[in-house]
Amino acid sequence: MVSMSTFVPANKGRRKGACGRQFCMYSVYDNKTDFPIVIDATAEECAKVLNRTVASFYCLVSRVLKGEIKRYTVLRRFADEEDT
């Protein structure tokens, strides 16, 4: 049995689609200035630009999508590995 403290998802934010391997790309916008901070980047790249850890970035995305954080707008899209 795996303890929950050491559990790491096997796909690490990626999912396998019917047409091949897919992963999530993010676009982050600042609502105060309406300028994009990051466009079409992976979670790791977005976290680096926002000076956060990857886990903290995923938390930010979750809270923005729930409407708890109004400062940022986060758009997600799934891209095929061949698109990059």
Side-chain angles (χ1 to χ4, degrees):
M1 182 171 172
V2 177
S3 69
M4 292 304 288
S5 63
T6 60
F7 177 75
V8 176
N11 61 3
K12 296 184 183 175
R14 297 183 174 129
R15 69 178 184 146
K16 185 168 172 73
C19 60
R21 187 170 182 179
Q22 292 184 337
F23 60 97
C24 198
M25 300 292 286
Y26 297 91
S27 297
V28 180
Y29 298 89
D30 187 354
N31 289 338
K32 291 182 180 178
T33 61
D34 290 330
F35 287 113
I37 298 173
V38 181
I39 297 178
D40 282 342
T42 62
E44 291 83 8
E45 294 167 343
C46 290
K48 186 182 236 184
V49 170
L50 294 172
N51 199 23
R52 295 176 172 259
T53 64
V54 176
S56 175
F57 176 73
Y58 284 133
C59 182
L60 172 83
V61 171
S62 175
R63 293 180 69 194
V64 166
L65 295 176
K66 288 180 189 176
E68 295 174 3
I69 295 178
K70 307 275 188 215
R71 179 173 179 189
Y72 300 109
T73 299
V74 178
L75 303 175
R76 296 186 298 180
R77 74 174 180 90
F78 288 100
D80 291 331
E81 196 165 16
E82 296 85 34
D83 290 345
T84 61

